[in-house]
Amino acid sequence: MKKKSLFLFGFFALLLVLSLLLLYNANTSRDNELVVHKCSKNDTLTTTLRFFVDRSIDMSEEDIVSRISELVLTSNQVLQRSCISIERLLTSVTFVDNAFTPHSAKEFSLLYDRLISNLSNQEKQEHLESLTDFIVVVVKTLPSEYKGYTYPEVVARMAAITLNGNPYVLEHELGHLAMAGHQKGGLEWFQAAQSQAHAYHCGPYRTVMNENLKNGFVIGLYSNPDISIGGQPCGVQNEANNSEVLRQWAAFTQAKQKLLEKVRG
């Protein structure tokens, strides 16, 4: 009889522990639940990406191409999750000997000129005439702690990255080229063009343009007040809404491209 009582006690104790674990996991899931309250989408703008890779990087070409494909896939996931109608399309990966690590805006511009010299005359013309054709150079290292950077005021359609950054490094830099900015009070060498071009944080996460490690883990999402995690909005209307900044950039770029094509006849 005593053994039976002990068995029943142990059985009910186990049930209690399992119930508490299930309740904890359910609450944790709700606390981190991503909710899209409103999703504004327009015609999709396709941005093409030409990658130039420094041949001295200590990885096989196959592994490098695979890593680049993963970065592009992640970029598209970020855009879709953020309700931004932009698509990243990988068009080429070229291994070159004339890439170098730029340490200034002047060197960044020089590197761009060198890279496009690898294109055929037709490819170069297509690139220069398109507002949506981007150059991404993959180098071995970058200055200081950076895993990627841009100089939009010098070269509007080129980003430099390394392959040892987080999965969002590519979209972070492409975000800068679409005028998205860092969190308020963050690194200010990149001056946001709009007051709402700021990153944000929500729950235990920070949005993709947020570089403040104290704001938690990076989540594949641009700041957006219409998206929340655990009930906390991931942006602030007119203050931290990089999603809207990218939507406006896409609409402006589409209109400008159509106008240029009309002028060229």
Side-chain angles (χ1 to χ4, degrees):
M1 189 72 177
K2 189 174 182 180
K3 287 183 178 179
K4 186 176 180 181
S5 299
L6 287 172
F7 173 78
L8 288 172
F9 175 78
F11 176 74
F12 286 116
L14 179 61
L15 281 178
L16 178 62
V17 170
L18 289 173
S19 298
L20 289 173
L21 284 172
L22 287 171
L23 181 62
Y24 172 79
N25 288 333
N27 287 335
T28 301
S29 177
R30 283 195 295 270
D31 288 343
N32 295 334
E33 184 181 7
L34 187 149
V35 178
V36 179
H37 303 283
K38 185 173 67 174
C39 190
S40 302
K41 288 193 174 184
N42 302 308
D43 294 338
T44 299
L45 175 70
T46 299
T47 53
T48 50
L49 307 176
R50 301 176 192 262
F51 279 79
F52 290 92
V53 183
D54 182 353
R55 208 184 296 275
S56 69
I57 294 175
D58 190 21
M59 288 175 65
S60 70
E61 292 190 1
E62 183 180 353
D63 287 344
I64 289 173
V65 172
S66 176
R67 173 68 171 146
I68 288 172
S69 298
E70 290 173 2
L71 291 174
V72 175
L73 175 63
T74 299
S75 283
N76 282 315
Q77 290 171 342
V78 170
L79 293 163
Q80 291 167 9
R81 194 178 293 123
S82 305
C83 296
I84 301 169
S85 299
I86 297 176
E87 175 192 17
R88 308 297 188 195
L89 180 63
L90 173 61
T91 56
S92 63
V93 178
T94 305
F95 291 84
V96 295
D97 296 310
N98 60 347
F100 62 88
T101 298
H103 292 83
S104 65
K106 184 177 180 180
E107 289 186 1
F108 203 79
S109 179
L110 176 61
L111 176 57
Y112 172 74
D113 290 339
R114 281 196 182 184
L115 292 175
I116 64 172
S117 70
N118 292 287
L119 299 175
S120 67
N121 290 335
Q122 182 178 346
E123 289 172 331
K124 189 182 297 185
Q125 182 178 354
E126 289 172 353
H127 170 70
L128 294 175
E129 291 183 353
S130 171
L131 300 177
T132 57
D133 191 65
F134 290 81
I135 301 292
V136 182
V137 56
V138 182
V139 293
K140 200 168 186 176
T141 60
L142 285 171
S144 188
E145 75 280 9
Y146 300 129
K147 305 303 180 185
Y149 67 54
T150 59
Y151 280 97
E153 70 281 8
V154 177
V155 183
R157 289 182 286 117
M158 187 177 86
I161 65 169
T162 63
L163 294 180
N164 56 354
N166 68 50
Y168 305 109
V169 62
L170 173 63
E171 188 54 36
H172 182 105
E173 299 310 323
L174 294 176
H176 278 317
L177 296 180
M179 308 313 294
H182 295 144
Q183 71 280 8
K184 282 190 174 181
L187 190 64
E188 291 299 332
W189 66 266
F190 178 84
Q191 296 296 326
Q194 299 185 37
S195 60
Q196 65 179 343
H198 292 102
Y200 206 63
H201 58 92
C202 42
Y205 303 107
R206 53 192 167 103
T207 57
V208 75
M209 302 300 292
N210 189 329
E211 296 191 323
N212 187 351
L213 299 179
K214 295 179 180 179
N215 287 159
F217 299 102
V218 181
I219 188 171
L221 182 73
Y222 279 102
S223 56
N224 189 330
D226 294 321
I227 297 176
S228 63
I229 294 180
Q232 297 184 36
C234 295
V236 179
Q237 199 70 38
N238 300 321
E239 291 183 20
N241 193 355
N242 274 326
S243 292
E244 182 60 22
V245 171
L246 264 76
R247 288 190 206 102
Q248 291 180 10
W249 174 86
F252 172 80
T253 301
Q254 284 175 315
K256 188 175 180 180
Q257 185 70 58
K258 288 179 181 178
L259 179 61
L260 289 174
E261 290 172 359
K262 185 177 181 181
V263 170
R264 293 188 189 112

